[in-house]
C-alpha cells in the first residue's frame, strides 16, 4: 500500500505536467469585428432614388453617335460608338402613395450636359423616357393616377450624344425628377 507521502508528489507532478501542457498549447485567438446596418424609412407621398442612370463604358469612334439606355436598362449604340462593358442601368426612383391620388411627374429641362471630371469636354443627354409601375396615365401629359396603395416605381432611360473622338474620361451630371401628389 502506498502512503500519502508517496501519492502526493506523483499527483503534484501530474498536475504540473497538465499545467505545462495547457500553457504551451496554442492559444485560441478571439477577434471582434464590426458591421454596419442601414435602413431608410420613407414617408408616404415621397420619392427616393434607387439607382443611377449609367451608360457604361463607350468607345466613341471617328464619327461618334449615340448610346441609349432604355427604361429596362438595355443599352444600344449607333454610329461609330462601341459598347465596351461597364455598369449599365436605367435610373430608378420609388415613392409611396394612396390609391386614386394623382401624381404629376416632371423632369425639368429637355437636355442635360454631362461634364468630364477634370474638365475639357462635355456630352449632351436628351430624350428622357419614363416607365412607371402602379401609375395609370391620364389625358394630361405627365399626370398619372395611383392604381393601388403601394410602392410607385419610376424607371428612366435617355439618349447620350457621343461626339467624334470624344475625349476619354468619366462624365457626370445630375437631373431632377419631381413628383407632385394631389
Amino acid at each position: 500500500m502506498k502512503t500519502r507521502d508517496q501519492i502526493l508528489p506523483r499527483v503534484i507532478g501530474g498536475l504540473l505536467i497538465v499545467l505545462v501542457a495547457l500553457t504551451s498549447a496554442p492559444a485560441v485567438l478571439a477577434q471582434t469585428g464590426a458591421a454596419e446596418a442601414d435602413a431608410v424609412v420613407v414617408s408616404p407621398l415621397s420619392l427616393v432614388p434607387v439607382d443611377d442612370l449609367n451608360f457604361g463604358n463607350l468607345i466613341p469612334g471617328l464619327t461618334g453617335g449615340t448610346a441609349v439606355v432604355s427604361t429596362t436598362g438595355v443599352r444600344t449604340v449607333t454610329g461609330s460608338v462601341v459598347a465596351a462593358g461597364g455598369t449599365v442601368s436605367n435610373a430608378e426612383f420609388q415613392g409611396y402613395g394612396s390609391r386614386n391620388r394623382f401624381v404629376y411627374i416632371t423632369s425639368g429641362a429637355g437636355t442635360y450636359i454631362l461634364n468630364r471630371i477634370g474638365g475639357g469636354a462635355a456630352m449632351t443627354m436628351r430624350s428622357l423616357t419614363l416607365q412607371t409601375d402602379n401609375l395609370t396615365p391620364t389625358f394630361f401629359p405627365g399626370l398619372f393616377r395611383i392604381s393601388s396603395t403601394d410602392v410607385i416605381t419610376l424607371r428612366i432611360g435617355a439618349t447620350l450624344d457621343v461626339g467624334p473622338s470624344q475625349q476619354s474620361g468619366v462624365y457626370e451630371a445630375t437631373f431632377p425628377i419631381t413628383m407632385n401628389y394631389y
Side-chain angles (χ1 to χ4, degrees):
M1 182 163 179
K2 296 187 180 187
T3 66
R4 190 169 88 165
D5 290 338
Q6 292 174 334
I7 296 175
L8 190 57
R10 288 184 182 165
V11 169
I12 291 173
L15 288 174
L16 284 174
I17 291 172
V18 170
L19 182 61
V20 168
L22 288 176
T23 58
S24 65
V28 176
L29 295 176
Q31 298 288 324
T32 59
E36 291 185 17
D38 294 320
V40 176
V41 177
V42 178
S43 62
L45 305 181
S46 61
L47 180 67
V48 295
V50 175
D51 211 352
D52 291 328
L53 178 58
N54 291 303
F55 290 92
N57 300 331
L58 304 168
I59 300 171
L62 296 175
T63 61
T66 64
V68 178
V69 173
S70 71
T71 57
T72 59
V74 175
R75 174 181 58 192
T76 57
V77 294
T78 66
S80 65
V81 176
V82 175
T87 300
V88 177
S89 64
N90 56 289
E92 186 171 309
F93 297 86
Q94 289 188 332
Y96 186 83
S98 300
R99 185 173 198 268
N100 290 327
R101 298 276 307 260
F102 287 93
V103 177
Y104 183 62
I105 302 171
T106 57
S107 64
T111 61
Y112 301 91
I113 303 299
L114 279 74
N115 292 303
R116 183 178 171 273
I117 295 176
M123 291 188 281
T124 301
M125 182 176 74
R126 59 183 171 81
S127 304
L128 270 64
T129 55
L130 175 70
Q131 187 268 323
T132 64
D133 290 348
N134 199 27
L135 293 175
T136 304
T138 66
F139 61 93
F140 189 77
L143 184 64
F144 298 86
R145 184 181 55 78
I146 300 173
S147 303
S148 66
T149 300
D150 203 352
V151 172
I152 298 164
T153 302
L154 307 176
R155 291 180 188 85
I156 299 168
T159 299
L160 181 66
D161 294 325
V162 181
S165 302
Q166 184 79 42
Q167 186 176 357
S168 64
V170 176
Y171 291 74
E172 65 181 5
T174 59
F175 61 95
I177 296 296
T178 304
M179 284 179 59
N180 291 304
Y181 291 91
Y182 300 98

